[in-house]
Amino acid sequence: MSRHEAKFIKEIIKDVLNKLEPKYLYVPEHLVGMDRLARNIYDFLSTATDDVCIVGIHGMPGIGKTTIAKVVLNQLCYRFEGSCFLSNINETSKQFNGLVPLQKQLLRDILKQDVANFDCVDRGKVMIKDRLRRKRVLVVADDLAHLDQLNALMGDRSWFGPRSRVIITTRYSSLLGEADQTFQIKELEPDEALQLFSWHAFKDTKPAEDYIELSKKAVDYCGGLPLALKVIGALLYRENKDRWESEIDNLSRIPNQDIQGKLLERSLNVFREKQSS
Ligand SMILES: Nc1ncnc2c1ncn2[C@@H]1O[C@H](COP(=O)(O)OP(=O)(O)OP(=O)(O)O)[C@@H](O)[C@H]1O
Ligand SMILES: [Mg+2]
């Protein structure tokens, strides 16, 4: 085989591997109300326009922003030259020089090859701008908490090629000034909330007959917050009625105005306890 042929074959293999690389992101089974939640965002991003288009998803912690962004990315990614899900930006960027790994991930995921090493955000910005400006990309910037974080990844729309799409998720709607459209994620509808709770408390779509009233009470306290429904449901899985009653009693002691924040705290504590046990 000539050197030219060998190089040609290598190129083909690289191309095939790129195509086989998984683009899709894992999302939990038993998502509820997701068609309803993702549809508007999907429709907005599917609208044909040559411009780069940015949408913002905002809402309280645990309401489902990241999950919705993953679902939309899975639905749309096959239409783009490259896609990238930059998760937990706020957490990652707290580490020393933490924006650099995110910049590298963005370049690597889109270009599907290793990129030149750099260790400074400003160099990363130049690389992104130079290398991605002709690429039609779908990028999710998940959990943004400062504009600096966005600027390091996408200082300007012109950094990405025409018809690119960007999804930002954040707890802070004030960061979404650049977005063409914003979507506030609200609590689940009561029937959806009961269904999600039941998946975790009973591994079924609805509560067991003799737990219906207790389940409705628990769900009421969770106020349509997916994280709380999941964690409180899992906490009560296979527990007896006494345990249910005492947990519901605990929930009922949380003052109304604090319910979401306290539930979240409670959910996270339970989650940590379970992880460490
Ligand atoms: N519609 C849904 N159906 C089932 N589970 C859901 C749904 N939405 C969210 N969840 C679950 O609830 C939990 C919290 O969701 P998610 O992480 O998307 O929230 P978030 O809004 O991104 O929170 P944060 O602001 O903390 O990043 C996750 O475990 C997720 O799987
Ligand atoms: Mg999130």
Side-chain angles (χ1 to χ4, degrees), residues 21 27 30 40 52 74 94 121 136 177 200 234 243 247 258:
E21 220 170 75
V27 287
H30 312 311
N40 290 343
V52 173
N74 283 348
K94 280 182 194 153
V121 173
R136 184 175 178 226
H200 294 279
R243 177 81 178 80
E247 186 59 36
D258 286 354

Side-chain angles (χ1 to χ4, degrees), residues 32-42 63 68 72 183 185-188 192:
V32 300
M34 202 36 82
D35 288 347
R36 173 179 73 77
L37 292 161
R39 187 177 306 122
N40 290 343
I41 303 170
Y42 172 89
I63 199 80
I68 295 169
V72 175
F183 297 89
I185 309 304
K186 303 269 178 56
E187 290 82 0
L188 294 177
E192 295 168 342

Side-chain angles (χ1 to χ4, degrees), residues 28 30-32 34 37 60-67 171 188 196 226-227 230:
H30 312 311
L31 292 175
V32 300
M34 202 36 82
L37 292 161
M60 62 183 306
I63 199 80
K65 303 178 293 295
T66 301
T67 312
R171 295 175 184 177
L188 294 177
L196 177 53
L227 181 63
K230 250 182 111 158

Side-chain angles (χ1 to χ4, degrees), residues 3 8 12 18 31 35 61 66 68-69 75 138 141 151 153 177 180 184 192 202 217-218 236 257 269 272-273 276:
R3 270 189 28 212
F8 182 64
I12 292 177
N18 278 342
L31 292 175
D35 288 347
T66 301
I68 295 169
Q75 291 172 334
L138 173 63
N151 288 335
L153 301 160
D180 300 299
Q184 181 177 8
E192 295 168 342
F202 303 99
K217 271 191 190 165
L236 295 170
Q257 65 274 23
N269 286 339
R272 286 191 195 111
E273 277 164 28
S276 63

Side-chain angles (χ1 to χ4, degrees), residues 133-165:
R133 73 194 148 105
R134 289 192 217 291
K135 299 273 179 196
R136 184 175 178 226
V137 301
L138 173 63
V139 177
V140 176
D142 176 51
D143 203 17
L144 206 74
H146 297 284
L147 279 180
D148 287 357
Q149 296 161 349
L150 186 64
N151 288 335
L153 301 160
M154 197 199 64
D156 188 90
R157 286 170 199 250
S158 63
W159 289 18
F160 299 147
R163 291 183 294 148
S164 290
R165 302 287 184 255

Side-chain angles (χ1 to χ4, degrees), residues 160-175:
F160 299 147
R163 291 183 294 148
S164 290
R165 302 287 184 255
V166 177
I167 302 173
I168 299 169
T169 84
T170 178
R171 295 175 184 177
Y172 313 103
S173 57
S174 58
L175 299 181

